[in-house]
């Protein structure tokens, strides 16, 4: 059984009576991020705004990843309903607000053709993200995935754009088969292998959940690292994922949905029953004020 790496780091210490240490540079964050993918298993949770990002950093997480759905909902839009310009501004803000690496959920690259994907990737790299993912989903229900040759060219275009921008941003290739109703492990593995050969540094097939399938994905693309999505309650633990050889575990929009769940329950109870019971589970305003006051000190 492999050793389970710790997926949390010591909490950031704040001392308002002394000079703050220098913040890590973009290059520092990218080196740190690359190192995280070399061994062990780490959680990479998904904030949806600056406050949630800074709170996750305060808990000692080693890295964070944006969530397209969580960010879209915070802007009263459906997932994949936010413009490239809005996403780029959001990524730049996350990078500027935190001292840990940020991985971008960059959807399908905001373009169909490889040249357009390359342009989008160059812009994403310029925000300072330490990594970004490119999906193979089309958004077209009739043809939900790009044909494999085009999907490969899209990853190659992203790889070239990263290399031309310095080459230190990690590229994640995503096979969306399970999320679009094609839960076929053989096709998923074939796509992930092709994306690895095309230059993806890390591979990701959201929706793959059981031990056997996860182990098959890890073995198929080894030695390249694998990201697994854990977006629901129960199931495998971080220790289980580490045992299976998974390198990193993200949660997608689950934290945003959890926050929305608490908000919706409290708002509905007030609207429908005139009661305030759900506020019993609310976060402490003093705790939040203290967190952000220390951060700004």
């Amino acid at each position: 059984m492999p050793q389970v790496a710790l997926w949390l780091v010591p909490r950031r210490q704040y001392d308002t009576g002394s000079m703050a240490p220098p913040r890590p540079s973009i290059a520092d964050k990218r080196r740190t991020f690359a190192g995280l993918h070399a061994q062990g298993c780490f959680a990479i949770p998904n904030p949806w705004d600056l406050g949630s990002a800074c709170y996750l950093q305060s808990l000692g997480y080693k890295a964070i990843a944006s969530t397209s759905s969580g960010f879209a909902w915070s802007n009263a839009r459906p997932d994949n309903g936010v413009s490239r310009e809005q996403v780029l501004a959001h990524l730049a803000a996350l990078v500027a607000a935190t001292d840990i690496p940020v991985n971008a959920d960059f959807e399908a690259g905001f373009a169909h053709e490889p040249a357009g994907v390359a342009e989008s990737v160059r812009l994403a790299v310029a925000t300072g993200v330490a990594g970004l993912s490119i999906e193979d989903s089309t958004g077209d229900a009739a043809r939900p995935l790009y044909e494999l040759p085009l999907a490969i060219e899209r990853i190659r275009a992203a790889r070239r754009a990263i290399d031309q921008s310095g080459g230190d941003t990690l590229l994640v290739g995503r096979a969306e088969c399970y999320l679009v109703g094609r839960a076929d492990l053989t096709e998923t593995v074939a796509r992930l292998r092709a994306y690895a050969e095309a230059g993806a540094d890390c591979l990701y097939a959201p929706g793959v959940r059981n031990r056997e399938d996860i182990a098959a994905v890890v073995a198929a693309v080894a030695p390249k690292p694998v990201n697994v999505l854990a977006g629901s309650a129960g199931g495998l633990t971080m220790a289980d994922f580490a045992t299976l050889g998974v390198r990193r575990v993200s949660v997608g929009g689950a934290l945003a949905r959890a926050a929305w769940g608490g908000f919706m329950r409290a708002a509905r109870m007030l609207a429908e029953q005139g009661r305030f019971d759900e506020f019993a589970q609310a976060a402490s305003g003093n705790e939040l004020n203290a967190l952000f006051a220390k951060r700004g000190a």
Side-chain angles (χ1 to χ4, degrees):
M1 176 178 176
Q3 183 178 1
V4 179
L6 292 176
W7 44 85
L8 295 180
V9 293
R11 298 187 182 201
R12 181 178 177 184
Q13 300 297 313
Y14 296 88
D15 181 357
T16 58
S18 61
M19 183 178 296
R23 299 187 64 191
S25 67
I26 297 302
D28 291 335
K29 293 181 185 181
R30 289 172 175 168
R31 280 192 295 271
T32 296
F33 201 47
L36 292 175
H37 291 77
Q39 61 182 355
C41 180
F42 68 99
I44 180 167
N46 304 73
W48 61 94
D49 63 8
L50 301 190
S52 57
C54 293
Y55 179 68
L56 291 172
Q57 176 176 300
S58 79
L59 293 179
Y61 285 100
K62 295 180 178 181
I64 54 176
S66 67
T67 160
S68 63
S69 59
F71 176 59
W73 300 329
S74 72
N75 283 274
R77 302 294 299 171
D79 192 13
N80 303 116
V82 181
S83 72
R84 183 177 73 177
E85 289 68 28
Q86 288 174 295
V87 170
L88 291 170
H90 174 57
L91 294 174
L94 288 177
V95 170
T98 56
D99 294 335
I100 54 178
V102 175
N103 189 98
D105 176 352
F106 208 49
E107 304 178 32
F110 299 92
H112 292 293
E113 297 304 318
V117 172
E119 177 188 6
S120 294
V121 168
R122 284 193 292 271
L123 294 171
V125 171
T127 67
V129 294
L132 62 89
S133 60
I134 295 294
E135 304 171 2
D136 57 7
S137 57
T138 64
D140 180 354
R143 301 179 65 183
L145 297 177
Y146 287 105
E147 296 297 327
L148 188 54
L150 178 55
I152 292 170
E153 287 305 313
R154 286 163 44 83
I155 294 292
R156 285 178 177 160
R159 175 78 269 160
R160 287 193 297 270
I162 289 173
D163 291 345
Q164 291 167 2
S165 301
D168 56 352
T169 304
L170 186 138
L171 175 61
V172 182
R174 288 180 48 150
E176 303 290 290
C177 306
Y178 280 69
L179 296 190
V180 300
R182 283 163 56 168
D184 183 332
L185 183 62
T186 300
E187 179 184 12
T188 298
V189 165
R191 283 178 174 268
L192 292 178
R193 281 177 169 164
Y195 303 158
E197 293 175 1
D201 301 299
C202 180
L203 289 310
Y204 182 14
V208 175
R209 291 191 177 91
N210 68 57
R211 292 175 183 269
E212 294 75 17
D213 290 353
I214 292 171
V217 167
V218 170
V221 301
K224 292 197 174 183
V226 168
N227 184 104
V228 168
L229 173 66
S232 57
L236 302 179
T237 66
M238 286 297 300
D240 293 327
F241 288 126
T243 300
L244 292 169
V246 172
R247 188 69 74 234
R248 65 185 222 185
V249 181
S250 58
V251 300
L255 286 173
R257 289 188 289 106
W260 273 101
F263 168 75
M264 292 167 74
R265 286 190 297 273
R268 284 171 176 163
M269 178 171 282
L270 178 57
E272 297 169 4
Q273 303 178 39
R275 298 178 62 88
F276 306 92
D277 304 47
E278 290 292 332
F279 293 170
Q281 301 301 317
S284 162
N286 288 338
E287 181 180 357
L288 292 170
N289 285 337
L291 169 68
F292 297 124
K294 287 180 181 179
R295 180 179 171 274

